[in-house]
Amino acid sequence: MAINFHYINKILPTFRCISTSTIKRDAWLSKIFVRKIEPTKESHSRMLSDKEIIYGLQTHNFRADSRTSYLQNMKNHLDLVKSQGTLDGVELVGSWTVNVGDQDQALHLWKFNGGYETIDTYNQIQAENEDFQKLKDEQGKVVRSRHLQYLLAFSYWPQIFLRQPKNIYEIRSYALKPGTMIEWGNNWARAINFRKNNDESFAGFFSQIGRLYNVHHIWCYKDLNARKETRESAWRAPGWDECVAYTVPLIREMHCRIMVPTEFSPTK
């Protein structure tokens, strides 16, 4: 193919007028637009999670003057679950109270091996068992509000393992724009590789029932200073900023909470 040097010489001055700052600006802007996701016949849950395990995230806002009685009620509930031979598939993974964020709040993460069949059995036993009903009535007197979500774990997230001896946890919760869950997963499948050096990635979930298009990332740190150093280290890694730039436009709302494990939490 012949090269038209007359045309090149004609447009070259135009390119020379483009400043370096403009090029950098345009390169940055190209990152913040959401890339198109092609239609698919696969459900989001099948594409993003490969485990037949459901997680339940309970969020309880308890009265400020009832913290001790509330936590005792939850411990009694856990002991009752353990005593039920038919609930072997129900397991408490973590239990925390919030230090920074929505104070007078507790979060409990349950694991249901066997999926929704186990959840159905669990709910039926709770509805029919007088001891469970008594604990539920007692809890109603010390909490201001309760919320439950059923979640799936992202397949690309490292496997959950319980931590020892003493840590703080951060839960970063995101409300995504409808239709962007697969795009979120595509980006975080790469981004998680920047956050594996210190085993800080505890769990990553997306909602199935409850508030939809919700994502929860739970991180584990020795203390707040370790959190600061770990996050700064990620920003120094080439490619992390690009992952952040691609995911920010997908978010409608986000917030984080710093949590500490309860006395009966399996992970510390």
Side-chain angles (χ1 to χ4, degrees):
M1 181 179 68
I3 299 176
N4 190 333
F5 289 101
H6 175 73
Y7 176 74
I8 292 175
N9 290 330
K10 183 177 180 181
I11 67 171
L12 190 58
T14 303
F15 285 103
R16 287 173 178 157
C17 292
I18 299 175
S19 67
T20 303
S21 62
T22 301
I23 294 174
K24 290 182 178 179
R25 182 199 65 195
D26 292 345
W28 184 86
L29 286 173
S30 67
K31 295 179 181 180
I32 70 173
F33 292 103
V34 179
R35 288 171 289 175
K36 182 180 179 181
I37 296 297
E38 296 299 327
T40 175
K41 294 182 179 180
E42 290 283 348
S43 68
H44 290 179
S45 58
R46 287 298 178 188
M47 297 182 70
L48 297 172
S49 181
D50 58 5
K51 297 179 176 63
E52 296 298 327
I53 298 174
I54 307 296
Y55 291 86
L57 181 63
Q58 289 180 314
T59 303
H60 292 165
N61 294 295
F62 53 84
R63 285 171 35 192
D65 60 352
S66 302
R67 177 188 178 92
T68 301
S69 56
Y70 164 77
L71 291 176
Q72 184 61 52
N73 176 275
M74 282 302 303
K75 184 178 184 303
N76 293 341
H77 180 92
L78 175 61
D79 292 340
L80 187 56
V81 170
K82 292 179 178 179
S83 70
Q84 303 293 311
T86 55
L87 292 179
D88 290 339
V90 181
E91 176 186 350
L92 181 68
V93 176
S95 177
W96 306 272
T97 55
V98 176
N99 259 11
V100 182
D102 303 312
Q103 294 185 329
D104 301 324
Q105 186 178 82
L107 284 81
H108 311 285
L109 180 63
W110 296 86
K111 180 180 179 181
F112 297 96
N113 295 291
Y116 288 114
E117 184 177 352
T118 300
I119 292 175
D120 288 337
T121 300
Y122 178 54
N123 289 338
Q124 182 177 354
I125 290 176
Q126 285 193 102
E128 297 174 353
N129 186 293
E130 291 184 3
D131 291 329
F132 275 119
Q133 286 299 310
K134 181 179 179 181
L135 288 173
K136 185 176 181 180
D137 291 341
E138 291 176 355
Q139 187 183 96
K141 299 175 182 178
V142 295
V143 298
R144 295 181 287 108
S145 63
R146 294 177 284 202
H147 182 258
L148 171 64
Q149 277 183 311
Y150 288 129
L151 315 166
L152 286 177
F154 285 113
S155 58
Y156 56 79
W157 205 272
Q159 185 176 359
I160 297 174
F161 69 92
L162 304 184
R163 311 302 174 91
Q164 299 291 337
K166 186 178 181 181
N167 301 280
I168 65 169
Y169 292 77
E170 177 181 14
I171 181 168
R172 298 178 72 87
S173 300
Y174 305 87
L176 303 185
K177 298 175 183 177
T180 62
M181 187 64 72
I182 296 176
E183 179 73 354
W184 180 273
N186 287 342
N187 281 287
W188 266 97
R190 295 185 298 115
I192 193 64
N193 294 314
F194 296 98
R195 302 295 302 274
K196 290 182 176 180
N197 293 338
N198 299 316
D199 288 329
E200 70 265 22
S201 51
F202 181 74
F205 304 108
F206 61 99
S207 59
Q208 286 286 284
I209 302 178
R211 297 187 182 102
L212 298 180
Y213 283 96
N214 271 197
V215 169
H216 302 287
H217 293 172
I218 303 178
W219 307 93
C220 179
Y221 305 103
K222 180 181 177 181
D223 50 36
L224 287 175
N225 191 59
R227 172 186 179 273
K228 171 180 174 292
E229 292 176 351
T230 299
R231 289 175 58 79
E232 288 179 351
S233 176
W235 278 104
R236 289 193 294 268
W240 171 254
D241 60 336
E242 183 174 307
C243 291
V244 173
Y246 278 133
T247 54
V248 166
L250 311 178
I251 302 170
R252 291 190 304 168
E253 182 182 351
M254 62 182 290
H255 70 289
C256 78
R257 287 159 285 182
I258 301 297
M259 312 181 297
V260 294
T262 64
E263 176 267 330
F264 53 86
S265 175
T267 192
K268 301 296 183 183

